[in-house]
Amino acid sequence: MVMKQRELKPETLAKAASMLKAIAHPVRISIIRFLEHGKKKTVTEIHTNLGIEQAMASHHLVILKDRGVLASKREGKNTWYFLKHESLSYLLKCISDCCEEE
Amino acid sequence: MVMKQRELKPETLAKAASMLKAIAHPVRISIIRFLEHGKKKTVTEIHTNLGIEQAMASHHLVILKDRGVLASKREGKNTWYFLKHESLSYLLKCISDCCEEE
DNA sequence: GTCAAATATAATAAAATCTGTATATAACGT
DNA sequence: ACGTTATATACAGATTTTATTATATTTGAC
């Protein structure tokens, strides 16, 4: 018995594309890697560590949050950002493996 | 002993981003899913099955091939396209899981 | 060579993204 | 209220994507 692949609904497809598009940027990949393994970081920690402007960091973080990649929690003056799905680590590993093998 | 995360070289980062960007499109995700499990399909099969114009299909296929997602092989009048890395199936599964759980 | 089928390319305009700079808002301590 | 720190937003020009349509190329059959 052959299993027919389950079709993705157009909305799921669009959501997946939009999420992938959010991830598909060098700086944002770096941000995600910086947050792997459940780490929570502030905007300042992120922009300092990755060597990008504060406004840039904030901007990219908003994109990642809007598309459902990150979540955040405000605490006083700080906003802590973290991965919403730890499985994204796996996704990045998969892509970098694909890249390296050529 | 804590393992420090290996940094990605800027070029690898750029390559990964560009590959992800290629994947991050509803039609192109559909194409990749259509080619999962080692299937090889012609442009006609792809554009017919997915219900898109021939030129569109060809266009998207070129993008996916240029960025290293697909490979192709010409045989007579037909060009057969197929996944270059079967592990991309896993990547798509990961993303759609992330999408559905909200 | 001519025709038809299969695929690829070109040209265009509209839409979305990116980067950098400037500015605004929020929260805290005094 | 004022100053400072942390974060978020707005704006604008440059670049990149996207969808559409039309056209070109390649290959095989005759």
Side-chain angles (χ1 to χ4, degrees), chain A residues 5-6 8 13 15-17 19-21 24 26 30 33 36 84-85 87 90-91 94-95 98-99 101-102, chain B residues 5-6 8 13 15-17 19-21 24 26 30 33 36 85 87 90-91 94-95 98-99 101-102:
Chain A
Q5 182 186 41
R6 190 166 54 89
L8 289 180
L13 214 50
K15 178 97 198 293
M19 208 163 166
L20 276 176
K21 210 182 281 186
S30 299
R33 282 172 52 92
E36 279 178 346
K84 208 164 168 186
H85 313 276
S87 60
Y90 213 86
L91 186 151
C94 172
I95 272 289
C98 288
C99 287
E101 82 187 44
E102 352 207 297
Chain B
Q5 182 186 40
R6 190 166 55 88
L8 289 181
L13 213 50
K15 177 96 197 291
M19 207 163 167
L20 276 176
K21 210 182 283 185
S30 300
R33 282 173 51 93
E36 279 178 346
H85 313 276
S87 61
Y90 214 85
L91 185 152
C94 172
I95 271 290
C98 288
C99 286
E101 80 187 43
E102 351 211 296

